[in-house]
Amino acid sequence: MHTRKAPIEPRDRLADTLYAKFFSGLADETRLRIVRYLLEGPHTAGEIVTELGMSQSRISNQLSCLKWCGYVYAERHGRNVMYRIASPAIGELLSTAQRLVAANACAIAECTQLA
Amino acid sequence: MHTRKAPIEPRDRLADTLYAKFFSGLADETRLRIVRYLLEGPHTAGEIVTELGMSQSRISNQLSCLKWCGYVYAERHGRNVMYRIASPAIGELLSTAQRLVAANACAIAECTQLA
DNA sequence: ACATAATATCATTGATTTATGTTATGTCAA
DNA sequence: TTGACATAACATAAATCAATGATATTATGT
C-alpha cells in the first residue's frame, strides 16, 4: 500500500515557528488590507499607497514583509513595481478564514484576553 | 441571474480588523503547537500542559484565547476539560498554509523585516 | 549627463501590544 | 478536601508598529 497522503504534517517545533511567522503576516490590519486589495487584481506600489492613504515608507515596508512571507510578488514595469498575489491558495486561505470568522465574529470582536 | 457566489467578501476595514485578530490567533508558536496537537485528536487541558511542558496558567490562558477566536471548544468531563478543534476548516487552513510555507520556507525563516 | 518619478531601504524613536512569569484565588466535581 | 482547571493581578521583557526623514536604486525624459 502507498503511504496515506497526510493532510497535515507531523508536528514539530521548527515547523511551528515557521507557521507562526507565516501567519503573523496576516495578523496585521495593514497587511491584510493590502492582501485583500491585491486579491482584486494586481496593483502598483503607488496605487496601494493611494488606496490605503498611508506613507510610502510604511507601505513599502509592509510590502516587503509580505514578499518575504510569500504572500505577494513584485514585478518591475518601467519605474513602477507591480504587486500581485503569489498564489491562488492565498484566496483560499482568506475564504476559509471568512467562514470561520463569520461563525464567530462577535466572540472575536469581544475578545479581551491575551493575544 | 443569481448574484455570483463571491469567494471573497468585499473589502472593508472592520472585517480586516477582525481577520487580523483572527489570524493573530495562529501567529504564535505556543498556540500553534496547541492547535496542531489538537488536530491529532481531542485532549484535556492537563494533557496539553504535559505535552508542551509549560505552566498550567500559561496554557490555560492560550486555550481561552483560542476559544475566543473559535479555534477550539471545551467540554467538561468530570474534573477534566476536554478541548477539541472547533471545525474541520481549521485543518484546511493549516494544510493550505503548509503548501504556501513549503514553497517558501527559507525566505520566511530569513525574514528580518518588520513583522 | 542630469533631473526626476517611483520605489526601496535604513535609522531612530516612541508608543503600544504581547507573551510570559509568578502567585494567588475561584470553581467545579469526585 | 483534593484534583483539575480557570481567572485575575501584577510585573517585566520583548516584539511590533509606526512616524519621520534621510538616502539609495532604477528607469524615464530631456
Side-chain angles (χ1 to χ4, degrees):
Chain A
M1 251 182 93
H2 305 95
T3 47
R4 196 159 63 90
K5 193 168 88 182
I8 302 284
E9 279 176 1
R11 281 183 298 128
D12 85 278
R13 292 201 52 174
L14 265 180
D16 286 325
T17 307
L18 215 57
Y19 290 157
K21 214 164 170 185
F22 174 74
F23 280 118
S24 75
L26 296 182
D28 174 84
E29 189 182 334
T30 301
R31 288 190 296 268
L32 211 42
R33 288 178 70 191
I34 295 175
V35 167
R36 299 232 283 161
Y37 183 43
L38 291 178
L39 280 168
E40 299 175 353
H43 289 286
T44 66
E47 286 170 335
I48 299 172
V49 169
T50 304
E51 171 73 17
L52 301 205
M54 294 171 176
S55 79
Q56 184 258 322
S57 166
R58 178 173 169 185
I59 293 292
S60 186
N61 275 326
Q62 299 293 33
L63 280 172
S64 74
C65 169
L66 289 170
K67 230 188 318 180
W68 276 111
C69 285
Y71 287 107
V72 305
Y73 67 87
E75 240 175 43
R76 179 141 228 146
H77 279 82
R79 15 186 174 197
N80 297 322
V81 176
M82 185 72 89
Y83 281 87
R84 67 183 73 239
I85 291 295
S87 154
I90 291 159
E92 293 170 36
L93 212 59
L94 266 286
S95 66
T96 301
Q98 258 171 219
R99 272 183 289 149
L100 289 164
V101 170
N104 226 5
C106 26
I108 299 175
E110 280 165 14
C111 173
T112 54
Q113 296 289 111
L114 315 179
Chain B
M1 250 183 99
H2 305 97
T3 47
R4 196 161 61 91
K5 194 169 89 182
I8 302 284
E9 280 175 1
R11 282 183 297 128
D12 84 277
R13 291 201 52 174
L14 266 179
D16 286 324
T17 306
L18 216 57
Y19 289 158
K21 214 165 171 186
F22 174 76
F23 280 117
S24 75
L26 295 182
D28 174 84
E29 189 181 335
T30 301
R31 288 191 296 268
L32 210 43
R33 288 179 71 193
I34 295 174
V35 167
R36 298 233 283 163
Y37 183 43
L38 291 177
L39 279 168
E40 298 175 353
H43 289 287
T44 66
E47 286 171 335
I48 299 171
V49 168
T50 304
E51 172 72 17
L52 301 205
M54 294 170 175
S55 78
Q56 183 258 320
S57 165
R58 177 172 170 188
I59 294 292
S60 187
N61 276 327
Q62 300 292 33
L63 280 172
S64 74
C65 170
L66 289 170
K67 230 188 319 180
W68 276 112
C69 285
Y71 286 108
V72 305
Y73 67 85
E75 240 176 43
R76 178 144 228 145
H77 280 80
R79 13 188 175 195
N80 298 321
V81 177
M82 185 72 88
Y83 281 88
R84 68 184 74 237
I85 292 295
S87 155
I90 291 158
E92 294 171 35
L93 213 58
L94 266 287
S95 65
T96 302
Q98 258 172 219
R99 271 183 291 151
L100 289 164
V101 169
N104 225 8
C106 28
I108 299 176
E110 280 165 13
C111 174
T112 53
Q113 297 286 112
L114 313 179

